[in-house]
Amino acid sequence: MQYIRCLAWQPRSEALLAARQRSGYFEELKFENKKEDIQKMKEPSLRQIRYFTAVANAGQVSRAAKELNVSQSALTNAVKQLEDIVGVSLFKRHGGGVTLTYEGNIFLDHALRVMAVVDEAVRSPSRKRDDVNGRLRLAITYTVAGYYIPPHIERFQRAFPGVELELTEAPRDRIEDGLASGSFDLAVMLTSNIIDQEGLEFETLMQSRRRLWLASRHPLLSQNNVTLADVAREPYIMLTVDEASNTAQRYWNQTAYRPNTVFRTSSVEAVRSFVAGGMGVTILSDMVYRPWSLDGRRVEVISLADKVPTMDVGLAWPANVPLGSAASAFREFMHLGDEAS
């Protein structure tokens, strides 16, 4: 009976095979598989996104490759594949490296959120969040409040619902006094501006390089090397908030030149509008850079040949005072992604 069943099955299977071949069944199957392959190609990988953010932060493929310990060709290919997927150019290439296009800046905002969420997801299973509760009195400076902390606060509150977060925006000197007196538990601030380096513990979370902002079609854009001497010959728009003018004065004082300040303002958006309108140039950090002013005019950015210090953002807390459970959880949370970067 076994042999008879095999003989009976053979013609049916051959007939089914022939019928499927006549109907184009296998061609349809190949087409569906091809569509799946194409769809997969349109989905960016985490590696491509990570490489893209590294190039965006470094401003040069060679520097990003060195930081990631990968070849320049691997980095270039990953970025090119990503640009093919999204269908637009993310970088503008020039002699000094690369700068983000308008679309690249938009993509970078999303990319940073993606990487932060992935890092949080990887590490969250090992964190005992239900045991963390209480109040966290967190102080933040103006620049941190406007350009850095909001997405981190959002994710922290979602991750630690038992923590009551009390946020206060304040200038550096008030934050340092508040940490010393116990009015604040922790601060997210510009650690590169801290004066009380003995009474406070602090650590840097990120460094944002400072570059020259200038209007589109500005003559300095066509110059290969731009120095502080070149900048000193231009009208300068000076930002004053978060002691930006004091910081600028420190590195200008190390040269024989001085900025030709024609306007001082505490508003980053005012600086952006004045620069975009060709009223002057400025040197500010990449963290606050956006390529368009509020009235829709372009702001270009280039690296300087002279060394200009980075703007460092980090955490600060009172020295010799143990952090509470909520503050410790926030500190750990803000380091998410350190191991993967």
Side-chain angles (χ1 to χ4, degrees), residues 228 245-259 309:
L228 287 174
S245 57
N246 295 341
T247 302
Q249 206 61 52
R250 284 199 296 270
Y251 61 77
W252 277 101
N253 284 343
Q254 297 177 15
T255 74
Y257 311 103
R258 295 295 179 268

Side-chain angles (χ1 to χ4, degrees), residues 61-320:
V61 174
S62 59
R63 185 184 302 168
K66 185 176 181 180
E67 292 174 355
L68 292 171
N69 196 26
V70 298
S71 67
Q72 290 190 42
S73 60
L75 210 55
T76 301
N77 290 336
V79 171
K80 180 63 171 64
Q81 291 167 2
L82 187 60
E83 289 179 320
D84 290 341
I85 291 170
V86 300
V88 295
S89 295
L90 301 175
F91 291 106
K92 182 167 61 175
R93 280 78 176 173
H94 51 77
V98 296
T99 54
L100 288 166
T101 61
Y102 172 70
E103 295 81 5
N105 273 281
I106 294 175
F107 190 86
L108 178 62
D109 286 340
H110 292 290
L112 292 174
R113 291 181 192 143
V114 167
M115 296 308 298
V117 170
V118 169
D119 292 332
E120 180 185 351
V122 169
R123 296 185 57 180
S124 62
S126 62
R127 190 181 298 110
K128 297 180 180 178
R129 297 174 174 177
D130 294 338
D131 296 337
V132 180
N133 50 54
R135 184 174 61 158
L136 173 58
R137 298 168 301 173
L138 184 67
I140 52 181
T141 53
Y142 173 86
T143 306
V144 167
Y147 297 92
Y148 178 74
I149 202 63
H152 298 286
I153 294 296
E154 176 191 351
R155 288 193 295 271
F156 178 79
Q157 290 188 310
R158 190 167 59 243
F160 295 91
V163 174
E164 177 190 351
L165 200 56
E166 184 180 299
L167 296 174
T168 302
E169 181 187 291
R172 177 205 48 82
D173 55 349
R174 185 183 157 200
I175 289 178
E176 291 190 14
D177 290 342
L179 289 172
S181 66
S183 301
F184 302 131
D185 302 310
L186 198 63
V188 186
M189 59 191 300
L190 303 185
T191 53
S192 47
N193 287 358
I194 289 178
I195 300 297
D196 185 10
Q197 299 195 7
E198 293 183 359
L200 299 179
E201 297 280 353
F202 60 93
E203 57 195 11
T204 297
L205 296 170
M206 62 93 71
Q207 293 182 310
S208 180
R209 61 186 168 162
R210 288 184 170 96
R211 293 190 289 174
L212 180 66
W213 296 15
L214 60 177
S216 59
R217 300 180 183 177
H218 194 285
L220 288 179
L221 288 171
S222 60
Q223 191 168 312
N224 288 332
N225 290 311
V226 179
T227 67
L228 287 174
D230 297 317
V231 177
R233 288 189 285 269
E234 301 290 330
Y236 195 91
I237 311 300
M238 181 68 75
L239 181 69
T240 59
V241 73
D242 264 352
E243 303 172 298
S245 57
N246 295 341
T247 302
Q249 206 61 52
R250 284 199 296 270
Y251 61 77
W252 277 101
N253 284 343
Q254 297 177 15
T255 74
Y257 311 103
R258 295 295 179 268
N260 176 26
T261 303
V262 296
F263 183 63
R264 300 169 65 88
T265 176
S266 61
S267 168
V268 178
E269 293 307 324
V271 172
R272 206 184 319 275
S273 293
F274 273 90
V275 169
M279 303 297 293
V281 301
T282 196
I283 299 171
L284 287 176
S285 80
D286 284 357
M287 192 179 81
V288 301
Y289 171 73
R290 301 293 183 273
W292 303 98
S293 66
L294 292 176
D295 55 358
R297 288 180 290 184
R298 179 83 184 184
V299 177
E300 301 290 349
V301 60
I302 57 176
S303 298
L304 290 163
D306 296 301
K307 186 176 180 180
V308 176
T310 58
M311 184 181 77
D312 300 344
V313 177
L315 298 169
W317 62 95
N320 305 317

